[in-house]
Amino acid sequence: MAEAIRNLISILDMSVEEIDHLIEVADDIVANHDDYTEICRGKKLATLFFEPSTRTRLSFEAAMLELGGSVLGFSEASSSSAAKGESVSDTVRTVGCYADIIAMRHPKEGAPLVASRRTTVPIINAGDGGHFHPTQTLTDLLTIKRKKGELGNITLGLCGDLQFGRTVHSLIEAMLRYPNVKFVLISPEELRVPEYIREKLREAGAQWCEVESMEEVMPELDVLYMTRVQRERFFNEEDYVRLKDTYILDMEKLENAKPDLTIMHPLPRVNEISVKVDDDPRACYFEQALCGKHIRMALILDLLGIK
Amino acid sequence: MAEAIRNLISILDMSVEEIDHLIEVADDIVANHDDYTEICRGKKLATLFFEPSTRTRLSFEAAMLELGGSVLGFSEASSSSAAKGESVSDTVRTVGCYADIIAMRHPKEGAPLVASRRTTVPIINAGDGGHFHPTQTLTDLLTIKRKKGELGNITLGLCGDLQFGRTVHSLIEAMLRYPNVKFVLISPEELRVPEYIREKLREAGAQWCEVESMEEVMPELDVLYMTRVQRERFFNEEDYVRLKDTYILDMEKLENAKPDLTIMHPLPRVNEISVKVDDDPRACYFEQALCGKHIRMALILDLLGIK
Amino acid sequence: MAEAIRNLISILDMSVEEIDHLIEVADDIVANHDDYTEICRGKKLATLFFEPSTRTRLSFEAAMLELGGSVLGFSEASSSSAAKGESVSDTVRTVGCYADIIAMRHPKEGAPLVASRRTTVPIINAGDGGHFHPTQTLTDLLTIKRKKGELGNITLGLCGDLQFGRTVHSLIEAMLRYPNVKFVLISPEELRVPEYIREKLREAGAQWCEVESMEEVMPELDVLYMTRVQRERFFNEEDYVRLKDTYILDMEKLENAKPDLTIMHPLPRVNEISVKVDDDPRACYFEQALCGKHIRMALILDLLGIK
């Protein structure tokens, strides 16, 4: 217990400087890939996914494998000791005997934080309910940085389900720390950002507006962040059906967009972006997935104290 | 996009020469095993199994691990993003950011083909419904080659469920390209090969016959390929119960067989081959499983452009 | 078949000398860790878990990975060929083509023994129903040896569900082979050790007693082995609720304990040890999990004939 274990539970645990450092390492991983292929040899990542999230899990696993480390874990709670009534604290302390670092996904908000209090190895929150998903936000920041060259001085459109969209809330909070970001919030009235986000925008003195249609604001956007209308967040099926198709991005809506617009999406998408958009050079959501791997590689190195 | 991605969707995608090359590499892997143990270091195989198939999945994973590479993926759809409504194309494009090559199993016929149209890394079809399963056919070809010394000039018996048995259909199609192969189709009348296979046999001018009993043809067979009566292919339980035990291979039925008969089975078996046959030197089905690993090693190397 | 395959099915398969050897290797792994990190390079462990047991599976996987080997397998039966009616013998013979050593967990008692009769690679029983779980017992023995310096000359308390607790029965049988061990069996009358264990204690001429309360015997114990009251072992919910909280270890009950008492638990725990005990230096159950990894590393090396 000489030194405190470093964890990543919320994106706000990281200073702007720490995020800058991660982005630098992520870029160096691309520039000097061969320097990293054996750097985690002998290290083990445990992916403890108490609820399934294939994409996030595979991204973490790919990150660790690409650093030369290895991976163990589980992909859903049914095959874990949790089914026998074990606490997450106990699970994590035991897994700390088997692995050097843990990525934990849990349906219960706060579970990774609770687990982090007794852990003997670094824990990364890989999503806890509707709460935090900091590596998604890091992914988004790296993508914006790579496409725009900087994290300030942009007009950022966020579109779709802004009420329940955890990734949107975290991205807004993270971007509020950079200078001269204008937020354009595009959603139906029923799915606007929650009041606490509005409060944060006000407190920070940010430039922001709320609109109901993409078309009217498209020309001014530098980045358009689309989100999925998640069926499971809705209170009733009727609302879901009525609203899910409202905010679909297609080539027509892109007509007046900037030629260097960056279109992002946390994925998976259902139909909120037409597949025809995929071939447009402005579509960056698959590149974003690649950024997700790179930033997780940087994060693993950082928390393990390597580099 | 300079060079087209190479995939393996159907066995007929491969020329006889390409198959010969794979068989050569598979044999070299056995002869010079140490040359291959680090050859895929740093490469990652993703096993995307939208339906479970433990044997096939483990064979692919063993193949990649034995080449010094690593593995990630999922073993059933419930823990994948497909549950959230994502298309296989999107899954595959994202996974292409995490892995260098993909082995995909899917309950829907054609899914791997659809996925291959947008992929950025090679895709291997690891079985799509009742459609194709090309690595099983490659496995069968390697086994016959190793046991018989060549792929032509043999009498090949195929026994059991020839109507629904995907592996049988593919093997017939593949073997039709080699000279002087005689096909002996052994099945109950209700489970004969479908018309399109009969058509291909005719078109190719092949020697073939259909019989209802093993005993009458046993003496002339060089290879006997047994298949499982799959409960899930039957329309009603009654037919299954009546037919499943009809074509069981035991020591008695082997009495008049050639001393160098090669008995094959794609596995898993239920009871269609008596366990007493396992100790007979003519039983080659476990050796066949080993061939499955070797040919997948050769295939991975080939599609990755290594060797 | 020149040399017999070595397996581990029951703890009693191993002589005292063989166990001593494993413990020595396990200690050497800690003392000279760097000598072991590449020792299994190119070797593959298959974890065939026909029922989930995350902790045991991860412990085996961590062990193999830490030796530089790799891992493949499945974590529950639903994704295995067993669902298609395959015998464990066939599964194991096939997996023997893919892996160098197998750890098998099965809900059916005797399944690993049956499987071991046809295997071509070593099999480790990772738990078969209420039957054996020899690597848990090896874990317990290593923990006692590390904490007490020897395996004889101690007073060993075993507390909780002694009737259904498989780990307790195996530990008693294993400890009966060491000199001067006194067994203190602490349980409600309804959950006493079964008659065959009592018989073994008598036959061995061991010192032992049965009591109903922890407090009266606490002062004399060198080791206190707590066990979980497993809901699934009870015949009715009522009995479970009445008894599950009876034998909870807390700081108060520890008041008269020896200052160097070793508190053990096979984990997972539900509430049979208060979390307040975790910070007491006498709590050794997480250390025990670490011992589990070390002894499995030693066992894998031994069965593979390395070292």
Side-chain angles (χ1 to χ4, degrees):
Chain A
M1 295 289 169
E3 216 177 321
I5 300 295
R6 294 181 55 220
N7 305 300
L8 175 60
I9 305 303
S10 156
I11 188 69
L12 297 179
D13 293 350
M14 297 195 112
S15 67
V16 167
E17 290 69 31
E18 286 172 318
I19 291 173
D20 282 351
H21 171 69
L22 285 189
I23 289 177
E24 260 170 52
V25 174
D27 285 342
D28 193 56
I29 284 168
V30 175
N32 301 294
H33 195 261
D34 290 356
D35 294 352
Y36 291 86
T37 56
E38 299 285 325
I39 202 167
C40 281
R41 177 71 59 216
K43 298 291 183 191
K44 297 185 245 73
L45 165 73
T47 47
L48 309 184
F49 276 55
F50 292 89
E51 71 175 0
S53 176
T54 308
R55 182 178 310 277
T56 303
R57 181 172 61 80
L58 294 186
S59 180
F60 271 109
E61 297 187 2
M64 189 47 149
L65 294 172
E66 207 153 321
L67 293 165
S70 53
V71 170
L72 70 174
F74 52 86
S75 58
E76 43 188 328
S78 74
S79 53
S80 85
S81 298
K84 295 179 184 162
E86 186 179 55
S87 70
V88 288
S89 290
D90 275 19
T91 301
V92 155
R93 273 198 76 172
T94 308
V95 173
C97 300
Y98 306 149
D100 301 283
I101 184 166
I102 292 171
M104 177 194 282
R105 176 95 170 198
H106 205 286
K108 236 192 198 150
E109 292 165 23
L113 180 64
V114 168
S116 72
R117 294 205 182 106
R118 310 286 303 183
T119 190
T120 57
V121 300
I123 292 186
I124 302 168
N125 180 0
D128 57 333
H131 217 189
F132 303 131
H133 189 7
T135 58
Q136 178 65 52
T137 310
L138 288 172
T139 298
D140 298 340
L141 295 176
L142 176 60
T143 308
I144 295 172
K145 176 66 173 20
R146 284 190 176 166
K147 302 308 292 185
K148 295 299 158 199
E150 61 176 329
L151 283 163
N153 306 307
I154 60 163
T155 297
L156 168 60
L158 298 136
C159 177
D161 168 6
L162 305 187
Q163 183 175 11
F164 299 102
R166 167 178 67 179
T167 56
V168 165
H169 306 161
S170 293
L171 184 56
I172 291 172
E173 287 186 77
M175 290 296 287
L176 274 174
R177 306 196 287 185
Y178 297 94
N180 194 28
V181 177
K182 183 175 173 189
F183 299 87
V184 180
L185 309 177
I186 310 158
S187 76
E189 214 193 312
E190 295 89 336
L191 290 177
R192 285 190 185 172
V193 292
E195 186 51 34
Y196 87 92
I197 291 291
R198 215 172 270 121
E199 193 60 45
K200 293 210 169 182
L201 287 160
R202 279 188 218 110
E203 272 172 25
Q207 300 175 69
W208 62 289
C209 63
E210 294 183 289
V211 300
E212 298 210 359
S213 113
M214 262 189 269
E215 286 89 336
E216 54 183 301
V217 294
M218 193 63 86
E220 55 172 313
L221 302 181
D222 298 306
V223 174
L224 171 58
Y225 196 101
M226 296 294 298
T227 65
R228 184 160 65 93
V229 180
Q230 294 183 269
R231 185 192 295 263
E232 59 266 37
R233 303 286 183 222
F234 274 85
F235 297 117
N236 64 68
E237 185 70 13
E238 198 181 303
D239 275 7
Y240 170 74
V241 170
R242 184 170 54 85
L243 293 169
K244 79 182 169 68
D245 293 339
T246 317
Y247 293 79
I248 294 180
L249 182 65
D250 54 24
M251 290 309 292
E252 210 187 316
K253 293 204 184 86
L254 278 173
E255 246 167 39
N256 296 313
K258 288 189 181 172
D260 66 344
L261 173 68
T262 296
I263 305 170
M264 296 172 66
H265 190 296
L267 303 179
R269 74 168 153 189
V270 181
N271 63 349
E272 56 276 17
I273 301 178
S274 158
V275 293
K276 289 194 182 128
V277 175
D278 296 3
D279 294 324
D280 192 291
R282 291 170 291 191
C284 298
Y285 24 96
F286 293 114
E287 209 174 324
Q288 197 177 347
L290 191 61
C291 288
K293 182 177 72 175
H294 293 149
I295 203 74
R296 286 181 178 97
M297 291 171 80
L299 179 65
I300 289 169
L301 290 174
D302 189 46
L303 294 181
L304 286 176
I306 303 171
K307 283 243 160 179
Chain B
M1 294 289 169
E3 216 178 320
I5 299 297
R6 294 181 54 221
N7 306 300
L8 176 59
I9 304 303
S10 156
I11 189 69
L12 297 180
D13 293 350
M14 296 196 112
S15 68
V16 167
E17 290 68 32
E18 285 172 318
I19 291 173
D20 282 350
H21 171 70
L22 284 190
I23 288 176
E24 260 171 52
V25 174
D27 285 342
D28 193 56
I29 283 168
V30 175
N32 301 295
H33 195 262
D34 290 356
D35 294 352
Y36 291 86
T37 56
E38 299 285 325
I39 202 168
C40 281
R41 176 72 58 216
K43 298 290 182 191
K44 296 185 245 74
L45 166 73
T47 48
L48 308 187
F49 276 56
F50 291 89
E51 72 175 359
S53 177
T54 307
R55 182 178 311 276
T56 303
R57 182 172 60 82
L58 295 187
S59 181
F60 272 109
E61 296 187 2
M64 189 48 150
L65 293 172
E66 207 153 320
L67 294 166
S70 54
V71 169
L72 70 173
F74 52 85
S75 57
E76 42 188 329
S78 75
S79 52
S80 85
S81 297
K84 295 179 185 163
E86 186 178 55
S87 71
V88 290
S89 290
D90 275 18
T91 301
V92 155
R93 272 197 77 172
T94 308
V95 172
C97 299
Y98 307 149
D100 301 284
I101 184 167
I102 292 172
M104 178 194 282
R105 175 97 170 196
H106 204 286
K108 237 190 197 152
E109 292 165 22
L113 181 63
V114 169
S116 72
R117 295 206 182 105
R118 311 287 302 183
T119 190
T120 57
V121 301
I123 291 187
I124 302 168
N125 180 0
D128 57 334
H131 217 191
F132 302 131
H133 189 7
T135 58
Q136 178 65 52
T137 309
L138 288 173
T139 298
D140 299 340
L141 295 176
L142 176 60
T143 309
I144 295 172
K145 175 67 172 23
R146 283 190 177 166
K147 302 309 291 185
K148 296 300 159 200
E150 59 176 330
L151 283 163
N153 306 306
I154 59 164
T155 297
L156 168 60
L158 298 136
C159 177
D161 168 7
L162 305 188
Q163 183 175 11
F164 299 102
R166 166 178 66 180
T167 57
V168 166
H169 307 162
S170 293
L171 183 57
I172 291 171
E173 288 186 76
M175 289 297 286
L176 274 174
R177 305 197 287 184
Y178 297 94
N180 195 29
V181 178
K182 182 173 175 194
F183 298 88
V184 180
L185 308 177
I186 310 157
S187 75
E189 214 193 312
E190 295 90 335
L191 291 177
R192 285 191 185 171
V193 292
E195 187 51 33
Y196 86 92
I197 290 290
R198 214 172 272 121
E199 195 58 49
K200 293 210 169 182
L201 286 160
R202 281 189 217 110
E203 273 172 24
Q207 301 176 68
W208 62 288
C209 63
E210 293 183 290
V211 300
E212 297 210 0
S213 113
M214 262 189 268
E215 286 88 335
E216 55 183 300
V217 293
M218 192 64 85
E220 55 172 313
L221 301 180
D222 298 307
V223 174
L224 172 57
Y225 196 100
M226 298 293 299
T227 64
R228 184 158 66 92
V229 179
Q230 292 181 273
R231 184 191 297 262
E232 59 266 38
R233 302 286 182 224
F234 275 86
F235 296 117
N236 64 69
E237 184 70 14
E238 199 181 302
D239 276 5
Y240 171 74
V241 170
R242 184 171 53 85
L243 293 169
K244 79 182 169 65
D245 293 338
T246 315
Y247 293 80
I248 294 181
L249 181 65
D250 54 25
M251 290 309 293
E252 211 187 315
K253 293 204 185 86
L254 279 173
E255 246 166 39
N256 296 314
K258 288 190 181 171
D260 67 343
L261 172 68
T262 297
I263 306 169
M264 297 172 67
H265 190 296
L267 302 180
R269 73 168 153 189
V270 180
N271 64 350
E272 55 277 17
I273 301 178
S274 157
V275 292
K276 288 193 183 128
V277 176
D278 296 2
D279 294 324
D280 192 292
R282 292 171 288 192
C284 298
Y285 23 96
F286 293 114
E287 209 173 325
Q288 197 177 347
L290 191 61
C291 289
K293 182 177 72 176
H294 293 150
I295 204 75
R296 287 182 179 97
M297 291 170 79
L299 179 65
I300 289 169
L301 290 174
D302 189 46
L303 295 181
L304 286 176
I306 302 172
K307 283 243 160 178
Chain C
M1 293 289 170
E3 216 178 320
I5 300 295
R6 294 181 56 220
N7 305 300
L8 176 59
I9 305 303
S10 156
I11 189 69
L12 297 179
D13 293 349
M14 296 196 113
S15 68
V16 167
E17 290 68 33
E18 286 173 318
I19 291 173
D20 281 352
H21 171 70
L22 285 190
I23 289 176
E24 260 170 52
V25 175
D27 284 342
D28 193 56
I29 284 168
V30 176
N32 301 296
H33 195 262
D34 291 355
D35 294 353
Y36 292 86
T37 55
E38 299 286 325
I39 202 167
C40 282
R41 176 72 57 216
K43 298 289 183 192
K44 297 184 244 75
L45 165 74
T47 48
L48 308 186
F49 276 56
F50 292 89
E51 72 175 358
S53 176
T54 308
R55 182 179 310 277
T56 303
R57 181 172 60 81
L58 294 187
S59 181
F60 271 108
E61 297 187 1
M64 189 46 149
L65 294 172
E66 207 153 320
L67 294 165
S70 53
V71 170
L72 70 174
F74 52 85
S75 57
E76 41 188 330
S78 74
S79 53
S80 86
S81 297
K84 295 179 185 163
E86 185 178 57
S87 70
V88 289
S89 290
D90 275 19
T91 301
V92 154
R93 273 197 77 172
T94 308
V95 172
C97 300
Y98 306 149
D100 301 283
I101 185 166
I102 292 172
M104 178 195 281
R105 175 97 170 195
H106 205 286
K108 236 191 198 150
E109 293 166 23
L113 180 64
V114 168
S116 71
R117 294 206 183 108
R118 310 286 302 182
T119 189
T120 57
V121 300
I123 292 187
I124 303 168
N125 181 359
D128 57 333
H131 217 192
F132 302 131
H133 190 7
T135 57
Q136 179 64 54
T137 310
L138 287 173
T139 298
D140 298 340
L141 295 176
L142 176 61
T143 310
I144 294 172
K145 176 64 170 24
R146 283 190 177 167
K147 302 309 293 185
K148 295 300 159 199
E150 60 175 330
L151 283 163
N153 304 308
I154 59 162
T155 297
L156 168 61
L158 298 136
C159 177
D161 168 4
L162 305 188
Q163 185 176 10
F164 300 101
R166 167 178 66 180
T167 57
V168 165
H169 306 161
S170 292
L171 184 56
I172 291 171
E173 288 186 77
M175 289 296 287
L176 273 174
R177 305 198 286 185
Y178 298 93
N180 195 29
V181 178
K182 184 175 173 190
F183 298 87
V184 180
L185 309 176
I186 310 158
S187 76
E189 216 191 311
E190 294 90 337
L191 290 177
R192 285 191 185 172
V193 291
E195 187 51 34
Y196 86 93
I197 290 291
R198 213 172 272 119
E199 196 58 48
K200 294 211 169 182
L201 286 161
R202 279 189 218 110
E203 272 172 24
Q207 299 176 69
W208 62 289
C209 63
E210 293 183 290
V211 300
E212 297 210 359
S213 114
M214 261 189 267
E215 285 89 335
E216 55 183 301
V217 294
M218 192 63 87
E220 55 171 313
L221 302 180
D222 297 308
V223 174
L224 172 57
Y225 196 100
M226 297 294 298
T227 65
R228 185 159 66 94
V229 180
Q230 292 182 271
R231 184 193 297 262
E232 58 267 37
R233 301 287 181 220
F234 274 86
F235 297 117
N236 64 68
E237 185 69 13
E238 199 180 302
D239 275 6
Y240 170 73
V241 170
R242 184 171 54 84
L243 292 169
K244 79 182 168 65
D245 293 340
T246 316
Y247 292 80
I248 293 180
L249 181 65
D250 54 24
M251 290 308 293
E252 210 187 314
K253 294 204 185 86
L254 278 173
E255 244 166 40
N256 296 313
K258 287 188 182 173
D260 66 344
L261 173 68
T262 296
I263 305 169
M264 297 172 66
H265 189 296
L267 301 180
R269 73 168 153 187
V270 180
N271 64 349
E272 55 276 17
I273 301 178
S274 157
V275 292
K276 288 194 183 127
V277 175
D278 296 3
D279 294 323
D280 191 292
R282 290 170 291 191
C284 298
Y285 25 95
F286 293 114
E287 210 174 324
Q288 197 177 347
L290 191 61
C291 288
K293 183 178 70 176
H294 293 149
I295 203 75
R296 286 182 178 97
M297 291 170 79
L299 179 65
I300 289 169
L301 289 174
D302 189 46
L303 295 180
L304 286 177
I306 303 171
K307 283 242 159 178

